[in-house]
Amino acid sequence: MQLSKEQIEQFDRDGYLFFPSLFNPQEIKTLIDAVPELYSRQEAYNVREKDSNAVRTNFAAHMYSAPFARLARHPRMIKPVEQLFGEKLYMHQFKINGKMAFEGDVWQWHQDYGTWLNDDLMAEPRAMNVAIFLDDVNEFNGPLMFIPGSHKKGVIDASHDLTTTSYPLWTVSNHLISQLVNRAGGKNGGIVSPKGPAGSMLLFHSCLVHASSSNLSPFDRVSVYLSLCAVNNHIRRFKRPEYIAHRDFTPIESLPDDCLLKEYPVDLPWKNGIPKTALEVSVEPFAA
Amino acid sequence: MQLSKEQIEQFDRDGYLFFPSLFNPQEIKTLIDAVPELYSRQEAYNVREKDSNAVRTNFAAHMYSAPFARLARHPRMIKPVEQLFGEKLYMHQFKINGKMAFEGDVWQWHQDYGTWLNDDLMAEPRAMNVAIFLDDVNEFNGPLMFIPGSHKKGVIDASHDLTTTSYPLWTVSNHLISQLVNRAGGKNGGIVSPKGPAGSMLLFHSCLVHASSSNLSPFDRVSVYLSLCAVNNHIRRFKRPEYIAHRDFTPIESLPDDCLLKEYPVDLPWKNGIPKTALEVSVEPFAA
Protein backbone atom coordinates (compact mmCIF):
# COMPACT_ATOMS: atom_id res chain seq x y z
CA MET A 1 0.00 0.00 0.00
CA GLN A 2 1.59 3.23 -1.27
CA LEU A 3 0.12 6.70 -0.96
CA SER A 4 -0.38 8.63 -4.18
CA LYS A 5 1.07 12.08 -4.82
CA GLU A 6 -2.47 13.50 -4.35
CA GLN A 7 -2.84 11.79 -0.98
CA ILE A 8 0.50 13.13 0.20
CA GLU A 9 -0.50 16.66 -0.85
CA GLN A 10 -3.88 16.25 0.80
CA PHE A 11 -2.28 15.17 4.06
CA ASP A 12 0.03 18.16 3.96
CA ARG A 13 -2.84 20.58 3.30
CA ASP A 14 -5.65 19.16 5.48
CA GLY A 15 -3.67 17.27 8.12
CA TYR A 16 -5.55 13.99 7.73
CA LEU A 17 -6.35 11.13 5.34
CA PHE A 18 -9.41 8.88 5.53
CA PHE A 19 -9.50 5.27 4.29
CA PRO A 20 -13.09 3.95 4.50
CA SER A 21 -13.38 0.18 5.02
CA LEU A 22 -9.64 -0.42 4.87
CA PHE A 23 -10.07 -3.54 7.00
CA ASN A 24 -12.84 -6.01 6.23
CA PRO A 25 -15.49 -7.20 8.72
CA GLN A 26 -13.71 -10.52 9.31
CA GLU A 27 -10.47 -8.72 10.18
CA ILE A 28 -12.25 -6.33 12.55
CA LYS A 29 -14.15 -9.15 14.24
CA THR A 30 -10.96 -10.66 15.66
CA LEU A 31 -10.29 -7.31 17.33
CA ILE A 32 -13.77 -6.43 18.58
CA ASP A 33 -14.24 -9.91 20.03
CA ALA A 34 -11.19 -9.39 22.21
CA VAL A 35 -12.34 -6.08 23.71
CA PRO A 36 -14.86 -7.04 26.44
CA GLU A 37 -12.36 -9.25 28.26
CA LEU A 38 -9.73 -6.49 28.13
CA TYR A 39 -12.23 -3.92 29.45
CA SER A 40 -13.26 -6.21 32.31
CA ARG A 41 -9.76 -6.23 33.81
CA GLN A 42 -9.24 -4.14 36.94
CA GLU A 43 -5.87 -2.78 35.86
CA ALA A 44 -4.20 0.63 35.79
CA TYR A 45 -4.34 0.57 32.00
CA ASN A 46 -8.17 0.76 32.02
CA VAL A 47 -9.24 4.39 32.60
CA ARG A 48 -12.96 4.75 33.34
CA GLU A 49 -15.53 7.55 32.66
CA LYS A 50 -15.93 10.27 35.28
CA ASP A 51 -19.51 9.38 36.19
CA SER A 52 -19.69 5.65 35.50
CA ASN A 53 -17.75 2.40 35.43
CA ALA A 54 -17.66 2.35 31.62
CA VAL A 55 -14.13 2.16 30.20
CA ARG A 56 -13.12 5.40 28.47
CA THR A 57 -9.65 4.24 27.46
CA ASN A 58 -7.74 0.96 27.54
CA PHE A 59 -3.99 1.42 27.09
CA ALA A 60 -1.28 -0.79 25.58
CA ALA A 61 -3.36 -3.79 24.47
CA HIS A 62 -0.68 -4.58 21.87
CA MET A 63 1.56 -5.57 24.81
CA TYR A 64 -0.75 -8.31 26.14
CA SER A 65 -3.36 -9.19 23.47
CA ALA A 66 -2.32 -11.14 20.36
CA PRO A 67 -4.93 -9.67 17.94
CA PHE A 68 -3.98 -6.11 18.91
CA ALA A 69 -0.26 -6.96 18.77
CA ARG A 70 -0.84 -8.04 15.17
CA LEU A 71 -2.80 -4.88 14.35
CA ALA A 72 0.15 -2.86 15.70
CA ARG A 73 2.29 -4.43 12.96
CA HIS A 74 -0.23 -4.25 10.10
CA PRO A 75 1.34 -3.19 6.80
CA ARG A 76 -1.78 -1.28 5.65
CA MET A 77 -1.14 1.07 8.55
CA ILE A 78 2.66 0.94 8.96
CA LYS A 79 3.67 1.35 5.30
CA PRO A 80 1.85 4.65 4.54
CA VAL A 81 3.14 6.24 7.75
CA GLU A 82 6.71 5.08 6.99
CA GLN A 83 6.25 6.62 3.56
CA LEU A 84 5.13 9.98 4.99
CA PHE A 85 7.94 10.16 7.55
CA GLY A 86 10.62 8.52 5.40
CA GLU A 87 11.88 6.32 8.22
CA LYS A 88 11.03 3.40 10.49
CA LEU A 89 8.50 3.74 13.33
CA TYR A 90 7.98 2.66 16.91
CA MET A 91 4.74 2.57 18.91
CA HIS A 92 4.50 5.64 21.13
CA GLN A 93 0.96 5.08 22.42
CA PHE A 94 -1.75 2.48 21.85
CA LYS A 95 -5.33 2.96 23.07
CA ILE A 96 -8.72 1.38 22.66
CA ASN A 97 -11.15 4.25 23.24
CA GLY A 98 -14.60 3.06 24.15
CA LYS A 99 -16.97 5.90 23.55
CA MET A 100 -19.74 3.66 24.78
CA ALA A 101 -23.47 3.98 24.04
CA PHE A 102 -25.17 6.50 26.37
CA GLU A 103 -21.98 6.89 28.48
CA GLY A 104 -19.28 8.27 26.18
CA ASP A 105 -18.37 11.77 27.27
CA VAL A 106 -16.85 14.70 25.35
CA TRP A 107 -13.19 15.29 24.54
CA GLN A 108 -12.55 19.02 24.39
CA TRP A 109 -10.60 20.58 21.47
CA HIS A 110 -6.92 19.64 21.73
CA GLN A 111 -3.74 18.69 19.90
CA ASP A 112 -1.96 15.50 20.87
CA TYR A 113 1.56 16.69 20.24
CA GLY A 114 1.35 19.30 23.01
CA THR A 115 1.26 16.52 25.59
CA TRP A 116 4.05 14.55 23.94
CA LEU A 117 6.25 17.63 23.87
CA ASN A 118 5.47 18.88 27.37
CA ASP A 119 5.31 15.57 29.19
CA ASP A 120 7.42 13.21 27.13
CA LEU A 121 9.96 15.60 25.55
CA MET A 122 9.31 14.37 22.03
CA ALA A 123 11.45 16.70 19.91
CA GLU A 124 9.26 17.15 16.84
CA PRO A 125 5.66 16.45 15.79
CA ARG A 126 6.84 13.46 13.77
CA ALA A 127 4.46 10.96 15.31
CA MET A 128 1.31 10.02 13.42
CA ASN A 129 -2.11 9.57 14.97
CA VAL A 130 -4.01 6.60 13.62
CA ALA A 131 -7.66 5.86 14.32
CA ILE A 132 -9.12 2.49 13.36
CA PHE A 133 -12.89 2.16 13.74
CA LEU A 134 -13.97 -1.06 15.46
CA ASP A 135 -17.61 0.10 15.32
CA ASP A 136 -19.46 2.03 12.64
CA VAL A 137 -19.01 5.75 13.22
CA ASN A 138 -22.03 7.94 12.48
CA GLU A 139 -23.19 11.45 13.35
CA PHE A 140 -24.88 10.20 16.52
CA ASN A 141 -22.13 8.32 18.36
CA GLY A 142 -19.63 11.09 18.95
CA PRO A 143 -17.38 11.03 15.85
CA LEU A 144 -14.00 12.73 15.81
CA MET A 145 -14.16 16.34 14.64
CA PHE A 146 -11.14 17.91 12.91
CA ILE A 147 -10.33 21.49 11.97
CA PRO A 148 -8.69 21.00 8.55
CA GLY A 149 -5.31 22.67 8.20
CA SER A 150 -5.04 23.46 11.92
CA HIS A 151 -1.82 21.42 12.11
CA LYS A 152 -0.13 24.27 10.20
CA LYS A 153 -0.43 26.37 13.35
CA GLY A 154 2.24 24.21 14.98
CA VAL A 155 2.20 23.74 18.74
CA ILE A 156 -0.51 25.85 20.33
CA ASP A 157 -0.41 27.21 23.86
CA ALA A 158 -2.88 25.20 25.86
CA SER A 159 -4.13 24.87 29.37
CA HIS A 160 -4.48 21.70 31.38
CA ASP A 161 -8.14 20.65 31.61
CA LEU A 162 -8.68 18.59 34.74
CA THR A 163 -12.39 19.26 35.30
CA THR A 164 -14.36 18.47 32.15
CA THR A 165 -13.03 15.04 31.40
CA SER A 166 -11.65 12.12 33.33
CA TYR A 167 -8.27 12.17 31.59
CA PRO A 168 -5.95 15.20 31.87
CA LEU A 169 -5.71 16.99 28.56
CA TRP A 170 -4.01 20.15 27.23
CA THR A 171 -6.95 21.99 25.69
CA VAL A 172 -7.06 24.95 23.30
CA SER A 173 -8.89 28.25 23.98
CA ASN A 174 -12.33 28.93 22.48
CA HIS A 175 -11.06 32.11 20.88
CA LEU A 176 -8.38 30.31 18.91
CA ILE A 177 -10.77 27.51 17.92
CA SER A 178 -13.11 30.11 16.42
CA GLN A 179 -10.23 31.61 14.44
CA LEU A 180 -9.02 28.25 13.15
CA VAL A 181 -12.53 27.16 12.14
CA ASN A 182 -13.15 30.46 10.34
CA ARG A 183 -9.85 30.19 8.51
CA ALA A 184 -10.79 26.67 7.38
CA GLY A 185 -14.15 27.77 5.96
CA GLY A 186 -16.43 28.39 8.96
CA LYS A 187 -19.74 26.59 8.51
CA ASN A 188 -18.54 25.43 5.07
CA GLY A 189 -15.86 22.90 5.89
CA GLY A 190 -14.30 24.59 8.92
CA ILE A 191 -15.01 21.42 10.87
CA VAL A 192 -15.04 17.95 9.32
CA SER A 193 -16.07 14.67 10.82
CA PRO A 194 -15.08 11.59 8.82
CA LYS A 195 -17.69 8.86 9.30
CA GLY A 196 -17.76 5.34 7.99
CA PRO A 197 -18.12 1.64 8.67
CA ALA A 198 -16.11 -0.41 11.14
CA GLY A 199 -12.74 -1.13 9.58
CA SER A 200 -12.16 2.42 8.35
CA MET A 201 -8.84 4.10 9.16
CA LEU A 202 -7.90 7.74 9.76
CA LEU A 203 -4.35 9.08 9.73
CA PHE A 204 -4.03 12.52 11.28
CA HIS A 205 -1.19 14.89 12.09
CA SER A 206 -0.22 15.14 15.74
CA CYS A 207 -0.77 18.94 15.62
CA LEU A 208 -4.26 18.66 14.07
CA VAL A 209 -6.80 20.18 16.47
CA HIS A 210 -9.59 17.72 17.22
CA ALA A 211 -12.45 17.02 19.62
CA SER A 212 -15.43 14.73 19.96
CA SER A 213 -18.90 15.17 21.36
CA SER A 214 -20.71 12.89 23.78
CA ASN A 215 -22.36 9.67 22.64
CA LEU A 216 -26.06 9.83 23.59
CA SER A 217 -26.96 7.12 21.07
CA PRO A 218 -27.43 3.39 21.72
CA PHE A 219 -24.49 2.72 19.34
CA ASP A 220 -21.10 1.91 20.88
CA ARG A 221 -18.21 3.70 19.19
CA VAL A 222 -15.08 1.74 20.05
CA SER A 223 -11.94 2.79 18.17
CA VAL A 224 -8.24 2.03 18.33
CA TYR A 225 -6.17 5.21 18.55
CA LEU A 226 -2.47 4.75 18.26
CA SER A 227 0.54 6.93 17.67
CA LEU A 228 3.46 5.86 15.50
CA CYS A 229 6.61 7.86 16.16
CA ALA A 230 9.59 8.15 13.81
CA VAL A 231 12.33 6.18 15.57
CA ASN A 232 14.86 9.04 15.61
CA ASN A 233 12.22 11.29 17.15
CA HIS A 234 11.75 9.09 20.23
CA ILE A 235 10.82 10.63 23.58
CA ARG A 236 13.55 11.85 25.96
CA ARG A 237 11.79 11.55 29.31
CA PHE A 238 9.77 8.87 31.11
CA LYS A 239 7.47 11.20 33.05
CA ARG A 240 4.40 9.08 32.32
CA PRO A 241 3.95 5.37 32.97
CA GLU A 242 5.07 3.11 30.17
CA TYR A 243 1.55 1.90 29.38
CA ILE A 244 0.75 5.52 28.34
CA ALA A 245 4.06 6.52 26.68
CA HIS A 246 6.10 3.56 25.48
CA ARG A 247 9.83 3.18 26.04
CA ASP A 248 10.79 0.52 23.51
CA PHE A 249 12.12 2.34 20.43
CA THR A 250 12.82 -0.80 18.39
CA PRO A 251 11.59 -0.25 14.79
CA ILE A 252 8.34 -2.05 14.02
CA GLU A 253 8.64 -4.83 11.46
CA SER A 254 5.39 -5.25 9.52
CA LEU A 255 3.66 -8.62 9.39
CA PRO A 256 2.09 -9.94 6.16
CA ASP A 257 -1.14 -8.35 4.91
CA ASP A 258 -3.30 -11.23 6.20
CA CYS A 259 -2.03 -10.90 9.77
CA LEU A 260 -5.50 -10.29 11.23
CA LEU A 261 -6.74 -13.53 9.66
CA LYS A 262 -3.85 -15.92 10.43
CA GLU A 263 -2.31 -16.40 13.85
CA TYR A 264 1.22 -15.19 13.14
CA PRO A 265 3.35 -15.43 16.29
CA VAL A 266 3.82 -12.12 18.13
CA ASP A 267 5.73 -11.15 21.23
CA LEU A 268 3.47 -10.29 24.23
CA PRO A 269 5.87 -8.94 26.86
CA TRP A 270 3.08 -7.97 29.31
CA LYS A 271 0.95 -11.08 28.94
CA ASN A 272 1.50 -11.94 32.62
CA GLY A 273 0.92 -8.38 33.87
CA ILE A 274 2.63 -4.99 33.76
CA PRO A 275 6.19 -5.08 35.11
CA LYS A 276 6.85 -2.79 38.07
CA THR A 277 9.44 -0.84 36.10
CA ALA A 278 6.72 0.25 33.65
CA LEU A 279 5.06 2.24 36.44
CA GLU A 280 8.26 3.99 37.50
CA VAL A 281 8.43 7.59 36.30
CA SER A 282 10.96 10.39 36.37
CA VAL A 283 10.98 14.11 35.55
CA GLU A 284 14.65 13.86 34.51
CA PRO A 285 15.37 13.87 30.78
CA PHE A 286 17.88 11.35 29.49
CA ALA A 287 20.49 11.73 26.76
CA ALA A 288 19.58 10.91 23.18
CA MET B 1 -50.57 27.46 4.63
CA GLN B 2 -52.34 24.09 4.56
CA LEU B 3 -50.70 20.71 5.17
CA SER B 4 -51.12 18.12 2.41
CA LYS B 5 -52.59 14.66 3.00
CA GLU B 6 -49.02 13.26 2.70
CA GLN B 7 -47.74 15.64 5.35
CA ILE B 8 -50.55 14.69 7.73
CA GLU B 9 -49.80 10.98 7.20
CA GLN B 10 -46.09 11.61 7.67
CA PHE B 11 -46.71 13.43 10.93
CA ASP B 12 -48.86 10.57 12.17
CA ARG B 13 -46.23 7.96 11.22
CA ASP B 14 -42.96 9.71 12.15
CA GLY B 15 -44.15 12.18 14.78
CA TYR B 16 -42.56 15.24 13.17
CA LEU B 17 -42.57 17.51 10.11
CA PHE B 18 -39.66 19.65 8.91
CA PHE B 19 -40.03 22.91 6.96
CA PRO B 20 -36.58 24.14 5.84
CA SER B 21 -36.27 27.92 5.42
CA LEU B 22 -39.92 28.59 6.25
CA PHE B 23 -38.98 32.08 7.45
CA ASN B 24 -36.64 34.24 5.40
CA PRO B 25 -33.42 35.83 6.71
CA GLN B 26 -35.05 39.27 7.08
CA GLU B 27 -37.84 37.80 9.23
CA ILE B 28 -35.37 35.92 11.42
CA LYS B 29 -33.16 38.97 11.85
CA THR B 30 -35.87 40.84 13.78
CA LEU B 31 -35.90 37.93 16.24
CA ILE B 32 -32.19 37.22 16.59
CA ASP B 33 -31.43 40.92 17.07
CA ALA B 34 -33.71 40.99 20.11
CA VAL B 35 -32.07 38.02 21.88
CA PRO B 36 -28.89 39.47 23.49
CA GLU B 37 -30.83 42.08 25.45
CA LEU B 38 -33.30 39.45 26.68
CA TYR B 39 -30.44 37.13 27.72
CA SER B 40 -28.71 39.92 29.62
CA ARG B 41 -31.63 40.37 32.03
CA GLN B 42 -31.14 39.03 35.53
CA GLU B 43 -34.65 37.58 35.79
CA ALA B 44 -36.15 34.28 36.94
CA TYR B 45 -37.12 33.53 33.34
CA ASN B 46 -33.43 33.24 32.30
CA VAL B 47 -32.12 29.78 33.29
CA ARG B 48 -28.34 29.46 32.97
CA GLU B 49 -25.98 26.52 32.19
CA LYS B 50 -24.74 24.39 35.10
CA ASP B 51 -21.08 25.32 34.72
CA SER B 52 -21.23 28.81 33.22
CA ASN B 53 -23.20 32.03 33.05
CA ALA B 54 -24.40 31.29 29.49
CA VAL B 55 -28.20 31.27 29.16
CA ARG B 56 -29.57 27.80 28.54
CA THR B 57 -33.23 28.83 28.34
CA ASN B 58 -35.12 32.11 28.28
CA PHE B 59 -38.83 31.67 29.03
CA ALA B 60 -41.93 33.60 27.94
CA ALA B 61 -40.34 36.22 25.67
CA HIS B 62 -43.69 36.54 23.86
CA MET B 63 -45.03 38.22 27.03
CA TYR B 64 -42.52 41.08 27.04
CA SER B 65 -40.80 41.29 23.58
CA ALA B 66 -42.76 42.57 20.58
CA PRO B 67 -40.92 40.55 17.87
CA PHE B 68 -41.45 37.30 19.79
CA ALA B 69 -45.08 38.22 20.58
CA ARG B 70 -45.60 38.50 16.81
CA LEU B 71 -43.84 35.18 16.15
CA ALA B 72 -46.21 33.57 18.69
CA ARG B 73 -49.12 34.61 16.42
CA HIS B 74 -47.52 33.74 13.08
CA PRO B 75 -49.96 32.07 10.65
CA ARG B 76 -47.24 29.84 9.09
CA MET B 77 -46.93 28.19 12.48
CA ILE B 78 -50.45 28.54 13.94
CA LYS B 79 -52.47 27.37 10.91
CA PRO B 80 -50.83 23.94 10.37
CA VAL B 81 -51.09 23.11 14.06
CA GLU B 82 -54.76 24.19 14.15
CA GLN B 83 -55.27 21.95 11.14
CA LEU B 84 -53.66 18.93 12.85
CA PHE B 85 -55.62 19.39 16.10
CA GLY B 86 -58.87 20.62 14.52
CA GLU B 87 -59.31 23.39 17.06
CA LYS B 88 -57.93 26.71 18.31
CA LEU B 89 -54.69 26.90 20.30
CA TYR B 90 -53.19 28.71 23.26
CA MET B 91 -49.52 29.12 24.17
CA HIS B 92 -48.54 26.56 26.83
CA GLN B 93 -44.81 27.27 26.88
CA PHE B 94 -42.46 29.61 25.02
CA LYS B 95 -38.67 29.28 25.22
CA ILE B 96 -35.59 30.64 23.52
CA ASN B 97 -33.02 27.87 23.95
CA GLY B 98 -29.50 29.13 23.56
CA LYS B 99 -27.31 26.13 22.90
CA MET B 100 -24.37 28.49 22.77
CA ALA B 101 -21.02 27.89 21.05
CA PHE B 102 -18.62 25.88 23.28
CA GLU B 103 -21.05 26.05 26.24
CA GLY B 104 -24.27 24.31 25.19
CA ASP B 105 -24.71 21.13 27.20
CA VAL B 106 -26.62 17.91 26.47
CA TRP B 107 -30.33 17.28 26.90
CA GLN B 108 -30.87 13.62 27.75
CA TRP B 109 -33.54 11.55 25.92
CA HIS B 110 -37.01 12.64 27.03
CA GLN B 111 -40.60 13.29 26.06
CA ASP B 112 -42.12 16.68 26.80
CA TYR B 113 -45.64 15.49 27.49
CA GLY B 114 -44.55 13.51 30.58
CA THR B 115 -43.80 16.78 32.37
CA TRP B 116 -47.00 18.45 31.20
CA LEU B 117 -49.06 15.49 32.44
CA ASN B 118 -47.26 14.99 35.76
CA ASP B 119 -46.68 18.60 36.70
CA ASP B 120 -49.38 20.54 34.89
CA LEU B 121 -52.20 17.95 34.66
CA MET B 122 -52.61 18.38 30.91
CA ALA B 123 -55.22 15.74 30.04
CA GLU B 124 -53.99 14.55 26.62
CA PRO B 125 -50.86 14.92 24.46
CA ARG B 126 -52.66 17.45 22.30
CA ALA B 127 -50.02 20.15 22.51
CA MET B 128 -47.58 20.57 19.62
CA ASN B 129 -43.89 21.22 19.99
CA VAL B 130 -42.55 23.76 17.55
CA ALA B 131 -38.86 24.52 16.99
CA ILE B 132 -37.87 27.55 14.96
CA PHE B 133 -34.16 27.84 14.14
CA LEU B 134 -32.73 31.32 14.75
CA ASP B 135 -29.26 30.04 13.79
CA ASP B 136 -28.21 27.52 11.17
CA VAL B 137 -28.36 24.02 12.62
CA ASN B 138 -25.62 21.63 11.51
CA GLU B 139 -24.15 18.35 12.73
CA PHE B 140 -21.65 20.18 14.95
CA ASN B 141 -23.79 22.51 17.07
CA GLY B 142 -25.94 20.02 18.94
CA PRO B 143 -28.97 19.46 16.70
CA LEU B 144 -32.18 17.91 17.99
CA MET B 145 -32.24 14.12 17.61
CA PHE B 146 -35.60 12.33 17.21
CA ILE B 147 -36.52 8.66 17.33
CA PRO B 148 -39.10 8.45 14.51
CA GLY B 149 -42.37 6.86 15.53
CA SER B 150 -41.52 6.89 19.23
CA HIS B 151 -44.62 9.03 19.93
CA LYS B 152 -46.71 5.91 19.23
CA LYS B 153 -45.45 4.50 22.52
CA GLY B 154 -47.59 7.05 24.38
CA VAL B 155 -46.48 8.30 27.78
CA ILE B 156 -43.35 6.49 28.92
CA ASP B 157 -42.37 5.91 32.53
CA ALA B 158 -39.50 8.22 33.25
CA SER B 159 -37.29 9.26 36.11
CA HIS B 160 -36.47 12.77 37.18
CA ASP B 161 -32.93 13.73 36.11
CA LEU B 162 -31.60 16.39 38.45
CA THR B 163 -27.88 15.73 38.03
CA THR B 164 -26.90 15.77 34.36
CA THR B 165 -28.52 19.01 33.32
CA SER B 166 -29.38 22.32 34.91
CA TYR B 167 -33.12 22.00 34.27
CA PRO B 168 -35.15 19.16 35.83
CA LEU B 169 -36.27 16.71 33.18
CA TRP B 170 -38.17 13.41 33.12
CA THR B 171 -35.75 11.18 31.22
CA VAL B 172 -36.25 7.78 29.59
CA SER B 173 -34.21 4.64 30.38
CA ASN B 174 -31.33 3.56 28.14
CA HIS B 175 -32.91 0.14 27.68
CA LEU B 176 -36.11 1.58 26.22
CA ILE B 177 -34.18 4.04 24.03
CA SER B 178 -32.31 1.08 22.49
CA GLN B 179 -35.61 -0.71 21.80
CA LEU B 180 -37.23 2.33 20.24
CA VAL B 181 -34.19 3.09 18.05
CA ASN B 182 -34.03 -0.54 16.89
CA ARG B 183 -37.72 -0.56 16.08
CA ALA B 184 -37.25 2.62 14.03
CA GLY B 185 -34.42 1.09 11.95
CA GLY B 186 -31.35 1.08 14.20
CA LYS B 187 -28.39 2.64 12.44
CA ASN B 188 -30.57 3.08 9.33
CA GLY B 189 -32.98 5.82 10.34
CA GLY B 190 -33.52 4.87 13.98
CA ILE B 191 -32.37 8.35 14.92
CA VAL B 192 -32.90 11.41 12.74
CA SER B 193 -31.58 14.90 13.15
CA PRO B 194 -33.20 17.51 10.90
CA LYS B 195 -30.66 20.19 10.02
CA GLY B 196 -31.08 23.36 8.02
CA PRO B 197 -30.65 27.11 7.78
CA ALA B 198 -31.90 29.70 10.24
CA GLY B 199 -35.63 30.19 9.60
CA SER B 200 -36.42 26.46 9.38
CA MET B 201 -39.31 25.10 11.45
CA LEU B 202 -39.91 21.70 13.05
CA LEU B 203 -43.27 20.51 14.35
CA PHE B 204 -43.02 17.49 16.63
CA HIS B 205 -45.42 15.43 18.71
CA SER B 206 -45.29 15.98 22.45
CA CYS B 207 -44.67 12.24 22.97
CA LEU B 208 -41.81 12.07 20.45
CA VAL B 209 -38.63 10.99 22.28
CA HIS B 210 -35.82 13.48 21.65
CA ALA B 211 -32.41 14.56 22.91
CA SER B 212 -29.55 16.78 21.89
CA SER B 213 -25.79 16.55 22.26
CA SER B 214 -23.44 19.23 23.50
CA ASN B 215 -22.30 22.07 21.28
CA LEU B 216 -18.48 22.01 21.12
CA SER B 217 -18.44 24.08 17.93
CA PRO B 218 -17.91 27.83 17.61
CA PHE B 219 -21.43 28.09 16.11
CA ASP B 220 -24.26 29.32 18.37
CA ARG B 221 -27.45 27.32 18.01
CA VAL B 222 -30.26 29.52 19.31
CA SER B 223 -33.78 28.19 18.68
CA VAL B 224 -37.28 29.10 19.76
CA TYR B 225 -39.09 26.10 21.23
CA LEU B 226 -42.74 26.62 21.94
CA SER B 227 -45.72 24.45 22.72
CA LEU B 228 -49.16 25.14 21.32
CA CYS B 229 -51.93 23.42 23.26
CA ALA B 230 -55.45 22.73 22.00
CA VAL B 231 -57.62 25.12 24.01
CA ASN B 232 -59.94 22.40 25.38
CA ASN B 233 -56.90 20.45 26.54
CA HIS B 234 -55.62 23.24 28.81
CA ILE B 235 -53.74 22.41 32.00
CA ARG B 236 -55.61 21.83 35.26
CA ARG B 237 -52.97 22.78 37.82
CA PHE B 238 -50.61 25.71 38.36
CA LYS B 239 -47.80 23.78 40.01
CA ARG B 240 -45.12 25.59 37.98
CA PRO B 241 -44.61 29.34 37.67
CA GLU B 242 -46.58 30.99 34.90
CA TYR B 243 -43.48 31.86 32.88
CA ILE B 244 -42.90 28.09 32.45
CA ALA B 245 -46.51 26.87 32.07
CA HIS B 246 -48.89 29.58 30.91
CA ARG B 247 -52.33 30.19 32.43
CA ASP B 248 -54.06 32.29 29.79
CA PHE B 249 -56.15 29.90 27.68
CA THR B 250 -57.51 32.55 25.31
CA PRO B 251 -57.36 31.22 21.71
CA ILE B 252 -54.51 32.70 19.66
CA GLU B 253 -55.64 34.89 16.76
CA SER B 254 -53.10 34.80 13.92
CA LEU B 255 -51.60 38.01 12.60
CA PRO B 256 -51.06 38.54 8.84
CA ASP B 257 -48.30 36.62 7.08
CA ASP B 258 -45.95 39.63 7.06
CA CYS B 259 -46.12 40.11 10.83
CA LEU B 260 -42.35 39.72 11.31
CA LEU B 261 -41.70 42.51 8.80
CA LYS B 262 -44.33 45.11 9.85
CA GLU B 263 -44.84 46.35 13.38
CA TYR B 264 -48.38 45.13 14.01
CA PRO B 265 -49.51 46.09 17.53
CA VAL B 266 -49.32 43.24 20.07
CA ASP B 267 -50.22 43.02 23.73
CA LEU B 268 -47.17 42.75 26.04
CA PRO B 269 -48.66 42.07 29.48
CA TRP B 270 -45.25 41.54 31.19
CA LYS B 271 -43.41 44.44 29.54
CA ASN B 272 -42.93 46.07 32.96
CA GLY B 273 -41.91 42.85 34.74
CA ILE B 274 -43.46 39.57 35.81
CA PRO B 275 -46.47 40.06 38.08
CA LYS B 276 -46.18 38.48 41.54
CA THR B 277 -49.18 36.23 40.85
CA ALA B 278 -47.22 34.56 38.01
CA LEU B 279 -44.77 33.17 40.56
CA GLU B 280 -47.50 31.77 42.86
CA VAL B 281 -47.87 28.02 42.53
CA SER B 282 -50.19 25.37 43.94
CA VAL B 283 -50.32 21.58 43.96
CA GLU B 284 -54.14 21.71 44.00
CA PRO B 285 -55.91 20.94 40.72
CA PHE B 286 -58.77 23.23 39.74
CA ALA B 287 -62.04 22.35 38.02
CA ALA B 288 -62.24 22.40 34.24
Side-chain angles (χ1 to χ4, degrees), chain A residues 95-232:
Chain A
K95 297 180 285 199
I96 308 171
N97 264 22
K99 178 154 266 193
M100 305 307 277
F102 302 115
E103 306 280 357
D105 208 346
V106 302
W107 292 85
Q108 300 290 340
W109 294 104
H110 68 285
Q111 293 178 311
D112 287 350
Y113 177 62
T115 306
W116 306 340
L117 173 65
N118 292 320
D119 285 354
D120 306 328
L121 300 184
M122 182 189 286
E124 289 176 38
R126 299 210 313 133
M128 180 70 75
N129 277 319
V130 182
I132 292 164
F133 301 174
L134 301 192
D135 284 307
D136 300 342
V137 173
N138 57 43
E139 68 181 283
F140 304 115
N141 60 359
L144 273 173
M145 301 186 284
F146 295 147
I147 304 176
S150 56
H151 63 301
K152 297 279 189 187
K153 190 83 184 170
V155 187
I156 294 169
D157 277 341
S159 51
H160 221 164
D161 175 15
L162 292 165
T163 56
T164 320
T165 56
S166 58
Y167 180 73
L169 206 62
W170 293 91
T171 59
V172 180
S173 78
N174 293 348
H175 180 70
L176 184 55
I177 295 298
S178 297
Q179 281 186 335
L180 292 169
V181 171
N182 277 338
R183 199 179 64 173
K187 288 179 185 172
N188 298 308
I191 304 176
V192 296
S193 181
K195 293 172 278 284
S200 301
M201 180 175 83
L202 272 166
L203 303 184
F204 60 104
H205 194 284
S206 60
C207 288
L208 194 70
V209 178
H210 59 289
S212 69
S213 199
S214 45
N215 182 4
L216 298 179
S217 83
F219 314 129
D220 287 343
R221 200 219 71 178
V222 178
S223 304
V224 175
Y225 291 144
L226 55 86
S227 310
L228 292 165
C229 188
V231 168
N232 286 313

Side-chain angles (χ1 to χ4, degrees), chain B residues 55-76:
Chain B
V55 169
R56 183 176 175 87
T57 303
N58 163 282
F59 284 95
H62 68 304
M63 300 292 275
Y64 46 82
S65 163
F68 287 99
R70 292 183 192 109
L71 177 68
R73 293 161 175 82
H74 204 291
R76 275 175 247 160

Side-chain angles (χ1 to χ4, degrees), chain A residues 1 8 29 46 90 105 132 139 156 202 264 270:
Chain A
M1 183 170 154
I8 292 169
K29 188 174 187 309
N46 277 328
Y90 81 94
D105 208 346
I132 292 164
E139 68 181 283
I156 294 169
L202 272 166
Y264 292 96
W270 293 1

